[in-house]
Structure formats: C-alpha cells, structure tokens
Amino acid sequence: MNLLTDPIFRVRTPDGPVTACLPELLALLGHDRVDSLTGLQRHQEDAFHIFCCYLAGAVLVRTGESSPQQTADFWREGIRQLTQAEGCADDSAWTLLVDDPTKPAFMQSPASSRAVFERDYKPDATTPDALDVLVTSKNHDKKMSRAMTGNFEAWLFALISLQTTVGLLGRGSGGGMNRGIGRMNSGYGSRPRVGWFPGMRVGVQFARDVSVLLCHRQVLLEAPYPYASTGRILLWIPPWDGARSQALDSLDPFFIEVARRVRLLSVDSRIQAFASGSATNFIAADQLKGNLGDPWTPITQRTNGALTVPESGFTPELLRNLIFGDGYIPATMQQPDDSMVGGWFSASVLVRGQGKTDGFQNAVLRVPDKPRLALFGCRQSRDRLTSLSKKGIDTASAMHYKALRPALFSLLEGGPESIVVDKAEIAKWVDSAVKPFVLNWNPRYFDWLWTTIDIPNDTEALRPWFDELRQLAQETLNRATERTPQRHGRSYRAKIKAQGIFFGSLKKNFPQFVEVTHDQP
C-alpha cells in the first residue's frame, strides 16, 4: 500500500465520500474540501494533523513555495524529491508493507541487516489498536485488539499516533526499552496540541497552521535552537540499531520523528507488527525536557520544559494560565491572526502515566471578538482581564475550600464544636459530595470572564460570578444534606451547624458581596 499513489484515506467532502492517497488528501485539506476523515479516531487527530503540517511545511520550504493550496501532483512530486534527497530513491519510505526489513517503510526505520532484524524484532501486535498509544488500565476502559487486522488505514493512523506521541513504556524485546519521543518532557510526559482555531474545519486549521509554521521557521534556525536548514526531516529513512541517537544539529526544524523500532509485515495474509526495544532515545535531547521548539507545545517557565498535563486534565485554572501566559510561555500556535474575528482556543492531549494513559483530555473555548481584542490588544486591557481571571479562580477556590468543604465535614460529623478533616473515610465522602459543585462551575468560568469586558468596576464584575458560585455551592450542600448518613439524634443539629458554617464562611471571606440582614442566621 503506497501512500503516494494508493487511495488509502476515506474522506467525507462537501460533494460526498471519496477515497484519496496522501497527496490528494493534502490537496483537499489545502482547499478546505475535507469535512472529516472517516477512519480517524479522536485521540489520533492531533498526531495526524501535526504530521500533515510538518510534511506540508517541509515540502513547501524545499520547493520554495509558501501557499498550502497546491495540487495533488505538486504534493506527490515534492514528497518524492524530499525523500530522494534524504537517501531513498523509491517510494518504499511511503509504503506501509515492505518485505525487505533493510529498506525503509512508512514511519518504520530499516534494520542494519536481516540478521539484526531476525535477532532483535519480535511479534508485538496483530491489530492496529494494539499497536496504538491508547493503553488503558487493565484493558477495562477501551478494549484493545478489536480492530480489523487488514484495515490499512487503521494501521496507518496507529503508526502515526505511536511514532508522534508515544512515551516510555517498559522493556521491549532485544534487551532495550520502549522509549518515547523527543518532543515530550520525559518518558512519562505528554505531547499536547495547544493553539488558536480560526474555524472548526480541519482544512482551515491545516492551512492556518502550515502558514504559521513557515513564519516560525526562521526562529527555529537561530540560537538557542541547533537545527540546520538542510537537516534531515524524514527520520525513518536511515537504518536505526537502537544504540545511537540523532543529534539535533543534524535535523531540520520540521523533522518528523519516530520513537520506536517497529516493522509491519504480512504473515499468513495478515498484517502483524514486529518491534524491538532500544538502548537509547532516537533523538539526543533528554536534557532539553521536550523544549524543542514545537509550535503546538507551551513551555513551563519553572522547569523550562514542555508542558506535561496532569491527570486532572485541562482545568479552568490550567487553561487560564495557558491563555494568559501565567507560568507558561505560550505555544506559537496560540497567537491568532490579525484578520480573525473571534475564534477558538483549543487544548488537547492524551495524558500519560507510568505504563498507562490517564485519558484523552480536550478543551475548546469560544473567544468572542471583544475578549480577543482584550487578550491580544493593548496591554492595559490584557492586564485587567488577567487580574480578573485570577480573582475569578481564587473566588471559586475560596468557595470550595473555605465555605463548602468545612460545611460538608461538619454535616457528616454531626455538627461538632470543631471539625476534624484528617479522617480518611469522611474525607472520601466529602470529595464525592463536592463533585457536583466543581463539575458545574468549571464550564461556566470563561463564559463569565468574557462578560467582564464591559464592566469597568472589578467588584461589580466579580459579583455575578460570586452569586453563581454561591448558588451552586448551596445546591450542593442541600443535596448532601438530603443524602448524608447521620445519627438520628444529631440530624437537626448537623444540618443547622453546616448551614451556619457555610454562611459564616461567606461573610468572613466575601464581605464585599454578602449583605447581613436580621433574617439571616
């Protein structure tokens, strides 16, 4: 299956479903003729998008062009020229199955000899989803090894997903480790895609991101980055024995990396993946902590390493910090074009853990025109919005930890004179009882924040947010009051005491918003 000539991709277009080879797909994307890719799973979309953008950017640079709106023939010829310049005279580097393991196959590095292949490579996966990066705890969340083994498109997407986003995962065959990519902060990190969407169509995002890549290229060719303008791009073409790493100064800024020694072969008319571990990472960049200039990856200022998203995912606080650059250097793709009116801030990642994944996390925030102008316009407007966004997070945190949680502890403990917060069984119940409050305020935070643009006074801007949080917290406490296990003799006391603690905390922590009357406790 040759990606440059065979129609492997199932594409929904405005004119109906079609099948396309890779050059035809790039042409469709450039002209915004793609509604969706039928076989692409959500957790694979980011890896495939990044792959297409880097490939298109590399071809455009090598051919001296700048527009991503090109014909299929242009992309096919450009990819072949790029491949030949990197040492592969035929299309084997774009063929999914190549019988000779000493020749490159698509995103599959060749072995130095057939003897090395037979010695190091062992059977690894018989279905594409077993090869993919989506490892689930005890195989419960998403059953593995379900996909059809002969589905070339599924194998292709699994390969790109693996080689673009995989991290460290135990010991492999051949005595080495299953290592991860270079554009990631450690083997247990994650590779995010953070940026600005001018629209939700994949073709619009492709054209915009390729253009940003080309503008960003000169930055990556200057210090502190060590890249070479004529460096390698298709890293799976030369043999890799797993013992030596590629130096960054031998690579082009748009290099498309591979992390694992993997080969797909036809065994008894079925596709099977063979794999081997490696003694070292493919790219010698451990000390850089994933800070390799990837334009979709924010940098953590404290560590100067690539963003690693925690198991909690994109919380409002993390999204707020990424948007306003509080503790993070924003990704290049976060800067919107001057011509944009509104748009979407998007952040997504497959969160990794030690030997597992902690779930695919995705957040897309609509940013209307006025907030966008405040974010990227004059410094005074941005500074005020930054300050208000922090106050909004602090208000939600105080409502959670200083008002609602103490009231819930008192409720379950029967209304004691002083609550005890270190009882594990009670703390677990409180954690469960408080979830509705957290789940309800999280999606409302940015909707409130964008409304503050037209309210000049900070206290008045925060008042609607406080009122909404107080209502959510009160509803959460009322729901807990109805469901909590209590001793019958202390039930009334527990309920009254919990409400008293809740209101007293509001009065203490939010005096500017709480008006005390004789009707209130």
Side-chain angles (χ1 to χ4, degrees):
M1 181 62 70
N2 186 340
L3 273 67
L4 302 186
T5 57
D6 294 330
I8 190 172
F9 299 99
R10 292 173 293 156
V11 187
R12 285 197 176 99
T13 73
D15 300 323
V18 300
T19 55
C21 62
L22 180 59
E24 292 168 342
L25 176 61
L26 293 176
L28 289 170
L29 286 170
H31 290 88
D32 190 22
R33 302 295 297 167
V34 177
D35 292 336
S36 65
L37 291 168
T38 304
L40 190 63
Q41 299 183 65
R42 180 59 189 93
H43 75 278
Q44 300 170 332
E45 287 180 8
D46 297 335
F48 188 67
H49 172 82
I50 291 170
F51 165 80
C52 288
C53 288
Y54 272 131
L55 178 61
V59 170
L60 291 173
V61 166
R62 292 292 193 263
T63 56
E65 297 289 340
S66 60
S67 173
Q69 296 182 338
Q70 302 290 344
T71 65
D73 289 339
F74 169 86
W75 291 119
R76 184 180 296 106
E77 182 61 25
I79 292 172
R80 281 176 169 157
Q81 289 178 6
L82 180 65
T83 306
Q84 292 166 9
E86 303 227 339
C88 182
D90 56 22
D91 287 349
S92 64
W94 299 96
T95 303
L96 202 59
L97 296 173
V98 176
D99 292 335
D100 186 352
T102 65
K103 295 185 65 175
F106 177 68
M107 297 205 90
Q108 304 161 62
S109 300
S112 56
S113 68
R114 185 174 291 274
V116 169
F117 174 79
E118 293 174 350
R119 181 194 67 197
D120 291 350
Y121 286 74
K122 307 299 179 186
D124 181 65
T126 57
T127 60
D129 53 339
L131 177 68
D132 203 349
V133 296
L134 194 60
V135 180
T136 53
S137 178
K138 295 183 179 178
N139 198 23
H140 288 167
D141 301 333
K142 182 180 176 68
K143 294 297 183 183
M144 300 173 66
S145 301
R146 301 180 308 162
M148 295 173 59
T149 181
N151 188 334
F152 292 106
E153 185 187 35
W155 281 105
L156 168 66
F157 288 140
L159 258 179
I160 295 176
S161 179
L162 177 80
Q163 302 286 37
T164 305
T165 65
V166 74
L168 186 67
L169 185 62
R171 186 167 296 278
S173 60
M177 298 291 290
N178 291 318
R179 299 185 181 274
I181 62 171
R183 293 182 174 109
M184 179 186 291
N185 189 350
S186 84
Y188 300 130
S190 51
R191 186 178 186 181
R193 176 190 172 189
V194 180
W196 188 267
F197 283 5
M200 301 308 295
R201 290 182 61 80
V202 292
V204 172
Q205 296 168 19
F206 168 78
R208 185 260 177 182
D209 284 6
V210 170
S211 298
V212 173
L213 263 180
L214 297 178
C215 293
H216 184 57
R217 180 177 175 83
Q218 189 56 44
V219 174
L220 299 177
L221 290 172
E222 299 174 356
Y225 301 107
Y227 301 119
S229 60
T230 57
R232 285 195 171 275
I233 295 172
L234 311 177
L235 301 194
W236 63 90
I237 288 180
W240 182 35
D241 59 7
R244 292 168 293 179
S245 299
Q246 291 277 334
L248 283 176
D249 59 9
S250 68
L251 306 181
D252 186 277
F254 295 169
F255 70 90
I256 303 174
E257 66 181 306
V258 290
R260 299 280 178 87
R261 299 169 72 195
V262 176
R263 295 291 298 201
L264 300 184
L265 296 176
S266 178
V267 179
D268 297 329
S269 300
R270 295 167 59 90
I271 300 176
Q272 184 168 354
F274 290 75
S276 175
S278 55
T280 185
N281 290 343
F282 191 97
I283 296 174
D286 287 355
Q287 72 281 5
L288 296 180
K289 302 177 182 177
N291 186 356
L292 304 186
D294 182 61
W296 291 274
T297 304
I299 301 301
T300 305
Q301 292 177 337
R302 181 175 55 84
T303 64
N304 199 37
L307 166 70
T308 294
V309 179
E311 186 177 354
S312 54
F314 291 108
T315 63
E317 183 174 13
L318 178 55
L319 289 172
R320 178 258 168 200
N321 292 342
L322 291 173
I323 291 173
F324 291 98
D326 191 349
Y328 297 91
I329 300 173
T332 301
M333 292 297 176
Q334 288 182 233
Q335 186 65 33
D337 300 339
D338 294 336
S339 61
M340 289 184 189
V341 178
W344 289 264
F345 174 82
S346 174
S348 52
V349 69
L350 184 63
V351 180
R352 293 189 51 78
Q354 188 167 353
K356 63 175 183 177
T357 56
D358 289 319
F360 181 78
Q361 301 288 340
N362 181 39
V364 180
L365 304 174
R366 180 76 171 99
V367 184
D369 189 36
K370 284 187 177 180
R372 184 189 68 84
L373 293 175
L375 279 171
F376 303 103
C378 70
R379 185 177 182 84
Q380 182 178 0
S381 298
R382 180 182 174 86
D383 288 347
R384 179 175 183 266
L385 196 59
T386 301
S387 174
L388 271 175
S389 67
K390 183 65 165 63
K391 290 178 181 178
I393 292 291
D394 291 343
T395 301
S397 179
M399 185 71 70
H400 182 172
Y401 291 101
K402 294 182 178 180
L404 181 56
R405 285 185 72 91
L408 291 172
F409 270 101
S410 178
L411 177 67
L412 193 62
E413 293 174 11
E417 292 301 323
S418 60
I419 61 176
V420 180
V421 297
D422 59 355
K423 293 182 179 179
E425 65 277 9
I426 294 180
K428 288 181 179 179
W429 182 89
V430 171
D431 289 342
S432 176
V434 82
K435 281 183 179 179
F437 172 75
V438 177
L439 293 175
N440 279 298
W441 81 257
N442 281 3
R444 306 183 191 192
Y445 167 73
F446 286 100
D447 290 337
W448 158 77
L449 182 61
W450 306 146
T451 67
T452 64
I453 300 296
D454 297 322
I455 306 176
N457 181 274
D458 285 5
T459 300
E460 292 307 309
L462 281 164
R463 186 180 298 278
W465 181 234
F466 167 80
D467 291 340
E468 191 162 11
L469 290 171
R470 178 172 61 176
Q471 180 180 351
L472 291 174
Q474 184 67 67
E475 291 172 354
T476 302
L477 180 58
N478 293 344
R479 188 181 300 109
T481 299
E482 297 171 357
R483 299 180 180 182
T484 179
Q486 295 175 353
R487 287 173 288 178
H488 183 70
R490 297 180 65 91
S491 175
Y492 180 76
R493 173 186 173 87
K495 295 175 182 178
I496 295 300
K497 188 76 172 179
Q499 294 289 347
I501 288 176
F502 179 68
F503 181 76
S505 297
L506 295 182
K507 185 173 68 172
K508 177 181 178 180
N509 293 288
F510 306 102
Q512 71 274 37
F513 300 129
V514 178
E515 298 178 2
V516 180
T517 69
H518 293 293
D519 297 331
Q520 293 173 317

